[in-house]
Amino acid sequence: MACLAVAVSAAAADDEAKIKVSPYGFVENQMFIQNRSSFQAADGLLNFFPKDENPDIDGDDLNEGLNSRMIAINTRVGLVFTGPDVLGARSKALVEGDFSTAGMCFFLRQGHLQLDWDADRLLFGQTGHPMCTDLMPGTINIAIGSPFNALNRSPMLRYDHLFLEDKSLDLTLAAIYQFCSGVSVGPNGKSNEYQTNSGIPEMWLGLKYSVNGFSVETGVDWTNISPRTVNDNNRKVSERISCPSALLQMSYNTGKLSLRAKTIYGYDLTHLNMAGGYGVSKINSDGSYEYSALRQTSSWIFASYGSTWRVGLFGGFMKNLGADDDLVDTDKLLWVYNGSVNNIDMMYRICPQIEYNVANISLGLECELTTVYYGDTVGKRGKVTDTYNVTNRRLFLSAKYNF
């Protein structure tokens, strides 16, 4: 925080540089209460899905039971620096952070510079993944629909070109590198080392058309990771797995009404904090592995109406479609979402909300019901059968002051 204050003072004092500094952000306190333990992050504010049954010696489920939390770590501060034109383009830089990942340490959410020409835009630095932030549901909780929606901020080089006279057609190209908020799973748990060892960035190609409050976007994403560089005998190996995915999303906004929907289909979406993973499909004579990724489909819809008083409803669904090939060992050589949860068949969420907005104050109430279908049997291709379900009901309260 002290560094941010120094940066603001220095920029404001430098008249020759003609840099304009615009602060923004919010102070937010949040509280939740739920009926069972769940996979979560940010001290519980990022709620993903409920944990499987875990019976004790008497048959009582250890993951069942009320738990609650109140915390203000989602408080956020951002600075926009607007400077002189560079190479004929308007220049801008942005830095943004909060405390939601590192507790009492200030965590960098965004840090990038941007150049804007008439029909071209170049961004260099850390910002939201195109599959995440180009369209998000308007949930009150900070998970923005995850794990049904992508949740990822990463360093990238992103280029946008606007077509047509009204600039309603946007072509996006991006080369993306994994960071701590969105990384793949593998033999050493969740880590960005698998992409780092690959040496190849994640690639994104998207096309978006917008007119009269309506927008539709489609895109394809491709990752290439190297799960291991050394085999079990401490010999160097060259292992890779490529995972494509595709997206289709639409939105319509008119007056107080907002409608949004997204569907994603792909292989190993774990770097987007969604379900996925991959396993070993073959062990070669030199001790190296060949891999096959799990396929998933995930969709959500969101509708809201109002301004001062706003009501909304989120619905999400995810299905595990399994791998294309038989896997060697689904117990030990299958790396899945959250590192160890390999028996999920599908899940869904229903989340109604109501929000009151006046001046700089927002008060929100959300009721989130998330049901996961776990299974007793994991097949050779990672598909799950003999299912049963567990449900988490979470009541979420938020009080926010925006500035």
Side-chain angles (χ1 to χ4, degrees), residues 48-49 137 139 144-150 260-264 274 297-303 313-319 346-352 367-373:
F48 297 124
F49 58 89
T139 59
I144 58 170
S146 179
F148 305 93
N149 184 43
R260 311 171 200 177
K262 179 186 293 187
T263 185
I264 296 174
M274 302 176 70
T297 180
S298 186
S299 303
W300 59 262
I301 57 173
F302 176 80
L313 179 65
F314 172 88
F317 176 80
M318 186 284 295
K319 176 68 174 178
M346 64 179 185
M347 68 176 77
Y348 68 83
R349 175 177 295 166
I350 300 172
C351 182
C367 183
E368 186 181 275
L369 182 149
T370 306
T371 296
V372 178
Y373 285 78

Side-chain angles (χ1 to χ4, degrees), residues 51-85:
K51 292 182 178 179
D52 196 358
E53 296 175 348
N54 182 24
D56 64 9
I57 58 174
D58 297 318
D60 295 326
D61 187 358
L62 296 175
N63 288 329
E64 183 73 29
L66 287 178
N67 60 90
S68 64
R69 189 91 162 112
M70 182 176 182
I71 199 165
I73 59 174
N74 192 41
T75 293
R76 187 173 304 168
V77 177
L79 297 171
V80 178
F81 300 86
T82 305
D85 290 356

Side-chain angles (χ1 to χ4, degrees), residues 327-348:
L327 303 177
V328 171
D329 188 340
T330 57
D331 289 329
K332 297 181 180 179
L333 299 179
L334 173 62
W335 299 281
V336 291
Y337 182 83
N338 228 48
S340 60
V341 186
N342 67 347
N343 62 329
I344 293 178
D345 174 49
M346 64 179 185
M347 68 176 77
Y348 68 83

Side-chain angles (χ1 to χ4, degrees), residues 243-389:
C243 298
S245 58
L247 168 149
L248 177 64
Q249 59 190 25
M250 294 178 287
S251 67
Y252 179 67
N253 297 282
T254 177
K256 298 180 180 180
L257 176 66
S258 178
L259 303 173
R260 311 171 200 177
K262 179 186 293 187
T263 185
I264 296 174
Y265 171 86
Y267 292 78
D268 183 27
L269 304 176
T270 55
H271 66 293
L272 299 174
N273 283 292
M274 302 176 70
Y278 55 91
V280 175
S281 58
K282 183 180 179 181
I283 301 178
N284 297 316
S285 58
D286 63 353
S288 63
Y289 293 160
E290 296 181 18
Y291 301 91
S292 186
L294 298 180
R295 295 171 294 132
Q296 304 80 33
T297 180
S298 186
S299 303
W300 59 262
I301 57 173
F302 176 80
S304 67
Y305 183 82
S307 54
T308 302
W309 284 97
R310 186 177 70 93
V311 293
L313 179 65
F314 172 88
F317 176 80
M318 186 284 295
K319 176 68 174 178
N320 171 17
L321 302 175
D324 291 334
D325 307 295
D326 288 351
L327 303 177
V328 171
D329 188 340
T330 57
D331 289 329
K332 297 181 180 179
L333 299 179
L334 173 62
W335 299 281
V336 291
Y337 182 83
N338 228 48
S340 60
V341 186
N342 67 347
N343 62 329
I344 293 178
D345 174 49
M346 64 179 185
M347 68 176 77
Y348 68 83
R349 175 177 295 166
I350 300 172
C351 182
Q353 63 177 232
I354 184 169
E355 191 173 24
Y356 177 64
N357 302 289
V358 57
N360 297 69
I361 300 291
S362 295
L363 305 175
L365 172 65
E366 237 173 22
C367 183
E368 186 181 275
L369 182 149
T370 306
T371 296
V372 178
Y373 285 78
Y374 289 99
D376 292 324
T377 305
V378 181
K380 291 183 177 180
R381 297 197 174 187
K383 295 191 69 174
V384 178
T385 55
D386 301 324
T387 61
Y388 54 93
N389 66 78

